[in-house]
């Protein structure tokens, strides 16, 4: 099998994960998209390791070892991230990223902070 097939598949997976991170508003879907991006990197690591091992006889299979470390770190990341998202969902009732950003900035009523006319009127009053 040529190296181009897993490389193209990995690029498609990574682009799909990147779209999920940039377009989704749910924190759990963002975490799943990050996992998809990490799996694309793992696919690249293993594909290039196999490709390089065909060229040299004495190889350490460092791509596969690095993939195992990446899988372990990803498992820890998803466990901690999911625990944080569930704790925030229990305390605030939502896992929408935009609403969480607004509450973190201290604007719990949902008013915009881009300098609208209402905000300017309140500042002058």
């Amino acid at each position: 099998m040529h190296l181009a097939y897993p490389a193209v598949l990995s690029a498609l997976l990574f682009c799909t994960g990147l779209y999920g991170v940039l377009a989704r508003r749910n924190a759990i879907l963002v975490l799943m998209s990050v996992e998809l991006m990490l799996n694309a990197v793992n696919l690249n690591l293993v594909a290039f390791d196999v490709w390089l091992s065909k060229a040299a006889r004495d190889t350490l299979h460092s791509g596969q070892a690095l993939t195992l470390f990446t899988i372990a770190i990803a498992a820890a990341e998803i466990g901690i991230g999911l625990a944080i998202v569930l704790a925030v969902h229990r305390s605030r009732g939502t896992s929408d990223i935009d609403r969480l950003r607004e509450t973190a900035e201290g604007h719990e009523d949902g008013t915009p902070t881009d300098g609208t006319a209402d905000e300017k009127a309140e500042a002058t009053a």
Side-chain angles (χ1 to χ4, degrees):
M1 181 163 64
H2 295 287
L3 183 62
Y5 297 132
V8 168
L9 179 63
S10 176
L12 290 174
L13 284 174
F14 192 84
C15 289
T16 304
L18 185 65
Y19 173 75
V21 167
L22 295 176
R24 298 293 179 193
R25 299 291 176 236
N26 191 350
I28 295 173
L29 292 176
V30 170
L31 285 174
M32 288 175 60
S33 298
V34 169
E35 290 295 320
L36 195 62
M37 291 168 52
L38 285 173
N39 285 329
V41 171
N42 288 339
L43 180 62
N44 254 345
L45 283 171
V46 171
F48 277 99
D49 183 50
V50 169
W51 182 66
L52 289 174
S53 69
K54 289 180 182 179
R57 292 284 181 200
D58 298 328
T59 58
L60 296 175
H61 297 292
S62 57
Q64 294 177 12
L66 193 57
T67 298
L68 289 176
F69 284 119
T70 307
I71 290 171
I73 290 171
E77 174 256 336
I78 196 67
I80 292 171
L82 191 59
I84 291 171
V85 168
L86 288 176
V88 168
H89 182 68
R90 284 183 185 159
S91 67
R92 296 194 179 152
T94 184
S95 62
D96 186 18
I97 294 174
D98 290 336
R99 293 175 115 189
L100 294 178
R101 187 177 300 131
E102 289 172 357
T103 57
E105 293 173 354
H107 305 288
E108 294 184 14
D109 57 349
T111 57
T113 61
D114 58 352
T116 59
D118 294 333
E119 207 172 280
K120 290 178 184 176
E122 288 178 5
T124 59

